[in-house]
Short mmCIF file of all heavy atoms in Angstrom, two decimals:
data_model
loop_
_atom_site.label_atom_id
_atom_site.label_comp_id
_atom_site.label_asym_id
_atom_site.label_seq_id
_atom_site.Cartn_x
_atom_site.Cartn_y
_atom_site.Cartn_z
N ASN F 1280 -36.62 124.88 2.92
CA ASN F 1280 -36.79 123.57 3.41
C ASN F 1280 -36.24 123.38 4.83
O ASN F 1280 -36.76 122.78 5.72
CB ASN F 1280 -36.09 122.48 2.51
CG ASN F 1280 -36.84 122.26 1.25
OD1 ASN F 1280 -38.09 122.37 1.21
ND2 ASN F 1280 -36.10 121.73 0.24
N GLU F 1283 -38.39 125.17 7.35
CA GLU F 1283 -39.62 124.51 7.57
C GLU F 1283 -39.42 123.23 8.49
O GLU F 1283 -40.26 123.00 9.39
CB GLU F 1283 -40.21 123.93 6.25
CG GLU F 1283 -41.56 123.28 6.36
CD GLU F 1283 -42.08 122.66 5.08
OE1 GLU F 1283 -41.78 121.48 4.80
OE2 GLU F 1283 -42.79 123.38 4.43
N LEU F 1284 -38.39 122.60 8.26
CA LEU F 1284 -38.04 121.41 9.05
C LEU F 1284 -37.84 121.87 10.54
O LEU F 1284 -38.34 121.10 11.43
CB LEU F 1284 -36.77 120.71 8.48
CG LEU F 1284 -36.40 119.41 9.13
CD1 LEU F 1284 -37.39 118.29 8.98
CD2 LEU F 1284 -34.99 118.96 8.74
N PHE F 1445 -33.21 110.33 -0.21
CA PHE F 1445 -34.18 110.22 0.89
C PHE F 1445 -34.69 111.57 1.17
O PHE F 1445 -34.20 112.46 1.77
CB PHE F 1445 -33.55 109.69 2.07
CG PHE F 1445 -34.53 109.32 3.23
CD1 PHE F 1445 -35.20 108.16 3.07
CD2 PHE F 1445 -34.66 110.11 4.37
CE1 PHE F 1445 -36.15 107.80 4.03
CE2 PHE F 1445 -35.55 109.77 5.28
CZ PHE F 1445 -36.29 108.65 5.16
N GLY F 1446 -35.77 111.86 0.51
CA GLY F 1446 -36.36 113.27 0.56
C GLY F 1446 -37.36 113.47 1.65
O GLY F 1446 -37.64 112.57 2.52
N VAL F 1447 -37.91 114.71 1.71
CA VAL F 1447 -38.83 115.06 2.72
C VAL F 1447 -40.14 114.17 2.58
O VAL F 1447 -40.68 113.90 3.69
CB VAL F 1447 -39.13 116.54 2.54
CG1 VAL F 1447 -40.54 116.84 2.81
CG2 VAL F 1447 -38.27 117.30 3.59
N GLU F 1448 -40.52 113.81 1.44
CA GLU F 1448 -41.69 112.97 1.25
C GLU F 1448 -41.64 111.66 2.21
O GLU F 1448 -42.41 111.44 2.99
CB GLU F 1448 -41.81 112.55 -0.13
CG GLU F 1448 -42.39 113.55 -1.05
CD GLU F 1448 -43.61 114.29 -0.37
OE1 GLU F 1448 -44.56 113.67 0.01
OE2 GLU F 1448 -43.53 115.56 -0.25
N GLN F 1449 -40.39 111.10 2.09
CA GLN F 1449 -40.19 109.84 2.85
C GLN F 1449 -40.21 110.17 4.32
O GLN F 1449 -40.67 109.45 5.21
CB GLN F 1449 -38.92 109.15 2.40
CG GLN F 1449 -38.97 108.33 1.16
CD GLN F 1449 -38.04 108.84 0.13
OE1 GLN F 1449 -37.92 110.06 -0.07
NE2 GLN F 1449 -37.44 107.93 -0.53
N ARG F 1450 -39.67 111.34 4.56
CA ARG F 1450 -39.50 111.63 6.04
C ARG F 1450 -40.86 112.00 6.56
O ARG F 1450 -41.17 111.69 7.83
CB ARG F 1450 -38.58 112.86 6.14
CG ARG F 1450 -37.66 112.69 7.23
CD ARG F 1450 -36.53 113.66 7.03
NE ARG F 1450 -36.03 114.07 8.49
CZ ARG F 1450 -35.11 114.94 8.64
NH1 ARG F 1450 -34.64 115.64 7.55
NH2 ARG F 1450 -34.80 115.24 9.89
N LYS F 1451 -41.66 112.66 5.80
CA LYS F 1451 -43.02 112.95 6.21
C LYS F 1451 -43.87 111.63 6.49
O LYS F 1451 -44.52 111.61 7.43
CB LYS F 1451 -43.68 113.72 5.14
CG LYS F 1451 -43.25 115.20 5.07
CD LYS F 1451 -44.16 116.13 5.62
CE LYS F 1451 -43.73 117.54 5.86
NZ LYS F 1451 -43.39 118.29 4.62
N LYS F 1452 -43.52 110.61 5.71
CA LYS F 1452 -44.26 109.40 5.90
C LYS F 1452 -43.84 108.82 7.27
O LYS F 1452 -44.72 108.35 8.03
CB LYS F 1452 -43.75 108.43 4.84
CG LYS F 1452 -44.90 107.99 3.84
CD LYS F 1452 -44.48 107.00 2.97
CE LYS F 1452 -44.90 107.45 1.44
NZ LYS F 1452 -44.08 106.90 0.45
N LEU F 1453 -42.61 108.92 7.58
CA LEU F 1453 -42.17 108.36 8.87
C LEU F 1453 -42.75 109.19 10.00
O LEU F 1453 -43.16 108.68 10.98
CB LEU F 1453 -40.58 108.44 8.95
CG LEU F 1453 -39.82 107.44 8.15
CD1 LEU F 1453 -38.35 107.76 8.18
CD2 LEU F 1453 -40.13 106.09 8.65
N MET F 1460 -41.14 114.34 14.15
CA MET F 1460 -40.11 114.19 13.06
C MET F 1460 -38.81 113.45 13.63
O MET F 1460 -38.31 113.93 14.65
CB MET F 1460 -39.71 115.54 12.62
CG MET F 1460 -38.86 115.61 11.36
SD MET F 1460 -39.68 114.83 10.06
CE MET F 1460 -40.33 116.13 9.08
N GLU F 1482 -29.84 122.96 2.83
CA GLU F 1482 -30.66 122.67 4.00
C GLU F 1482 -29.95 121.70 5.21
O GLU F 1482 -30.45 121.58 6.18
CB GLU F 1482 -32.02 122.05 3.65
CG GLU F 1482 -31.79 120.58 3.27
CD GLU F 1482 -32.94 120.01 2.49
OE1 GLU F 1482 -33.09 120.35 1.16
OE2 GLU F 1482 -33.81 119.34 2.97
N ARG F 1726 -37.78 123.05 -4.43
CA ARG F 1726 -37.84 122.55 -3.07
C ARG F 1726 -37.98 120.97 -3.06
O ARG F 1726 -37.51 120.23 -2.31
CB ARG F 1726 -38.99 123.15 -2.24
CG ARG F 1726 -38.64 124.58 -1.79
CD ARG F 1726 -39.65 125.08 -0.99
NE ARG F 1726 -39.68 124.43 0.35
CZ ARG F 1726 -40.48 124.90 1.37
NH1 ARG F 1726 -41.29 125.97 1.22
NH2 ARG F 1726 -40.46 124.34 2.56
N ALA F 1727 -38.73 120.46 -4.11
CA ALA F 1727 -38.77 118.98 -4.27
C ALA F 1727 -37.53 118.39 -4.65
O ALA F 1727 -37.22 117.32 -4.28
CB ALA F 1727 -39.88 118.63 -5.23
N ASN F 1730 -34.75 118.83 -1.74
CA ASN F 1730 -35.12 118.14 -0.57
C ASN F 1730 -34.48 116.70 -0.54
O ASN F 1730 -35.10 115.75 -0.42
CB ASN F 1730 -36.54 117.93 -0.42
CG ASN F 1730 -37.04 118.62 0.72
OD1 ASN F 1730 -36.45 118.60 1.80
ND2 ASN F 1730 -38.21 119.27 0.53
N LEU F 1731 -33.18 116.71 -0.70
CA LEU F 1731 -32.47 115.42 -0.82
C LEU F 1731 -31.41 115.40 0.19
O LEU F 1731 -30.73 116.44 0.49
CB LEU F 1731 -31.99 115.34 -2.16
CG LEU F 1731 -32.88 115.52 -3.34
CD1 LEU F 1731 -32.08 115.95 -4.44
CD2 LEU F 1731 -33.64 114.32 -3.57
N ASN F 1732 -30.95 114.22 0.53
CA ASN F 1732 -29.81 114.12 1.45
C ASN F 1732 -28.80 113.35 0.82
O ASN F 1732 -29.06 112.60 -0.16
CB ASN F 1732 -30.28 113.47 2.74
CG ASN F 1732 -31.36 114.44 3.32
OD1 ASN F 1732 -31.06 115.53 3.63
ND2 ASN F 1732 -32.47 113.87 3.56
#
Side-chain angles (χ1 to χ4, degrees):
N1280 283 340
E1283 183 186 88
L1284 183 68
F1445 192 74
V1447 139
E1448 283 314 306
Q1449 281 122 316
R1450 224 164 149 185
K1451 287 254 162 72
K1452 249 183 223 156
L1453 288 173
M1460 190 56 100
E1482 71 195 79
R1726 284 184 72 173
N1730 242 319
L1731 306 154
N1732 300 301

